[in-house]
Amino acid sequence: MKTSWNETRQIDAYLSGSMDTGNALLFEANMILEPALQDKALWQIKAHTAIQHYGRAQLKKEIETVHQKLFTAPEHTSFRQKIRRLFSNL
């Protein structure tokens, strides 16, 4: 079950909704006629989901790193105080 680059681009266009209506209907018909294409689309959805989760995890790590630097490093003391004052008034 080898997937060509054109097929991958087609699946991406279909999944993202960027495919025009006629081509989307044709793609859906092809998925009915070729169960392997539908299987490839499902795997591509799983790949997109995994990539999205990985990206979110990386972003959370970066945010936590910045947070640790801002709220623990001595050179950011005045920033910490300003933030604490800002939120202490709420």
Side-chain angles (χ1 to χ4, degrees):
M1 178 165 74
K2 185 177 178 185
T3 304
S4 74
W5 174 245
N6 287 334
E7 200 172 57
T8 301
R9 285 186 15 221
Q10 244 186 347
I11 294 169
D12 268 341
Y14 176 76
L15 295 177
S16 70
S18 64
M19 193 178 270
D20 65 67
T21 306
N23 284 333
L25 289 171
L26 184 60
F27 185 80
E28 289 172 2
N30 281 334
M31 282 198 298
I32 292 169
L33 295 173
E34 297 178 42
L37 181 60
Q38 186 175 13
D39 192 43
K40 291 174 186 178
L42 290 173
W43 280 106
Q44 202 152 326
I45 290 169
K46 289 181 181 193
H48 286 195
T49 302
I51 291 166
Q52 186 178 39
H53 287 293
Y54 177 79
R56 286 182 180 168
Q58 288 301 109
L59 182 59
K60 285 181 180 181
K61 285 180 186 177
E62 289 176 30
I63 291 170
E64 183 59 31
T65 300
V66 169
H67 177 266
Q68 289 302 319
K69 285 181 183 176
L70 288 174
F71 286 92
T72 58
E75 63 267 20
H76 300 297
T77 303
S78 89
F79 172 78
R80 277 194 304 274
Q81 290 170 346
K82 288 177 186 176
I83 294 298
R84 287 192 175 119
R85 273 184 292 206
L86 180 68
F87 285 100
S88 69
N89 294 332
L90 299 178

